[in-house]
Amino acid sequence: MSPQRLSAFTLGQGALGTVLLHGFLGSGKNLRTLANKWLERQPNQTLLLPDLLGHGDSPPLPADATLDDVARAVLATASLLPHPLRLVGHSLGGRVALACARVAPERVADVVLLDIGPGPIDTRTSESRQVLHIMMQAPDEADDRQVFRSFFLGKGLSAPLTEWILMNLRLDQGLYRWRIDRRALDALHETFTQDDLWPVVESGEVPVHCALGERSRYVSAAEAQRLRAAGCDVHVLPGAGHYVHVDALGPLVDWLAQLP
């Protein structure tokens, strides 16, 4: 079965093909501000911002989907971009980028990880795991978005995080329902957090760069040191948490613009 095509939009018409991959439970538009700022600095790019499988307006996840399945859909969608590709991924998106380099290294110029590492993730420290656990308890549908808003606020989630989660709702015949399959995403989360992508990094076949949030817990000091030992450029963004493209947008664009 050929890979599915994703919902995506492009920015710019430059000769360098770059794909920006969002994190778990997000969508391509989460990285639009980053894409626009980067394009202002480096207009010689064509930027593709897809919704990953099972996210946003892209097709649902197939049964027993793997990280490589998600990666193949990205590569199929990016087939018309100038090659080889620079793949830039935040969180889940970074691991999808590494999976792209695993399944088709000849199509990847380099990988840029935004606050994520290649090793298995301890789900006890995963913010997305905690959010998904709460989402699994949420109503299936309601006639008012406020029902969902009150539910998540009542679970202790912040107002900005709640509004971000509510972007995954759609109005259907007078009722607000989830546009995503929460159970399929729950299974994918287990798969992508446990996949060991160190062989991709340590083979040296595809260059890897990594920007880390100083306050984030997603990549340990030991893992950052192992990345450096493998020849990766590791840059720490002062004061930033996991969402480096939000917390340190300017410094992140400065760093991206100087990459070879």
Side-chain angles (χ1 to χ4, degrees):
M1 185 175 65
S2 51
Q4 300 186 68
R5 295 297 181 106
L6 305 174
S7 174
F9 61 92
T10 59
L11 297 171
Q13 297 180 326
L16 300 179
T18 302
V19 184
L20 297 182
L21 302 171
H22 64 82
F24 191 65
L25 301 177
S27 65
K29 61 187 174 183
N30 294 152
L31 299 176
R32 187 162 200 148
T33 300
L34 170 60
N36 282 323
K37 292 292 185 183
W38 192 6
L39 198 58
E40 289 174 8
R41 289 285 297 276
Q42 289 188 296
N44 60 333
Q45 301 182 88
T46 298
L47 301 176
L48 178 74
L49 287 79
D51 296 345
L52 296 174
L53 274 181
H55 293 74
D57 294 321
S58 282
L61 286 160
D64 302 320
T66 67
L67 200 57
D68 287 356
D69 293 327
V70 180
R72 290 187 183 97
V74 168
L75 292 169
T77 306
S79 60
L80 297 181
L81 258 65
H83 279 70
L85 299 166
R86 166 166 280 172
L87 300 173
V88 182
H90 174 247
S91 201
L92 165 63
R95 295 176 72 79
V96 173
L98 289 174
C100 289
R102 177 166 63 191
V103 300
E106 73 282 357
R107 296 186 58 189
V108 181
D110 63 354
V111 168
V112 182
L113 304 175
L114 301 183
D115 204 63
I116 199 68
I121 297 170
D122 184 351
T123 55
R124 293 173 298 179
T125 64
S126 168
E127 297 173 21
S128 57
R129 175 76 264 172
Q130 296 162 16
V131 170
L132 184 57
H133 177 70
I134 295 173
M135 287 181 67
M136 297 291 285
Q137 304 171 46
D140 292 331
E141 60 185 31
D143 58 5
D144 191 337
R145 284 172 64 93
Q146 185 59 38
V147 173
F148 291 93
R149 184 175 291 110
S150 297
F151 171 82
F152 288 111
L153 292 174
K155 291 291 186 178
L157 300 187
S158 68
L161 179 54
T162 293
E163 295 306 315
W164 178 71
I165 293 170
L166 297 189
M167 293 171 64
N168 288 300
L169 295 174
R170 60 183 171 82
L171 185 60
D172 178 22
Q173 298 181 342
L175 291 173
Y176 288 94
R177 297 186 172 98
W178 294 101
R179 68 168 69 240
I180 56 176
D181 184 336
R182 291 170 289 167
R183 290 167 183 79
L185 286 170
D186 185 50
L188 176 66
H189 191 276
E190 183 66 25
T191 297
F192 92 77
T193 55
Q194 299 311 305
D195 202 336
D196 184 0
L197 294 152
W198 275 113
V200 179
V201 175
E202 294 179 329
S203 73
E205 190 169 4
V206 174
V208 176
H209 316 275
C210 186
L212 304 179
E214 182 183 38
R215 296 186 292 104
S216 175
R217 298 185 299 161
Y218 270 77
V219 179
S220 68
E223 192 166 26
Q225 183 56 38
R226 185 173 172 182
L227 282 165
R228 292 186 179 97
C232 303
D233 170 28
V234 179
H235 180 68
V236 178
L237 293 162
H242 181 53
Y243 296 92
V244 291
H245 56 291
V246 175
D247 297 340
L249 177 61
L252 175 60
V253 172
D254 289 342
W255 177 72
L256 289 170
Q258 60 81 44
L259 292 178

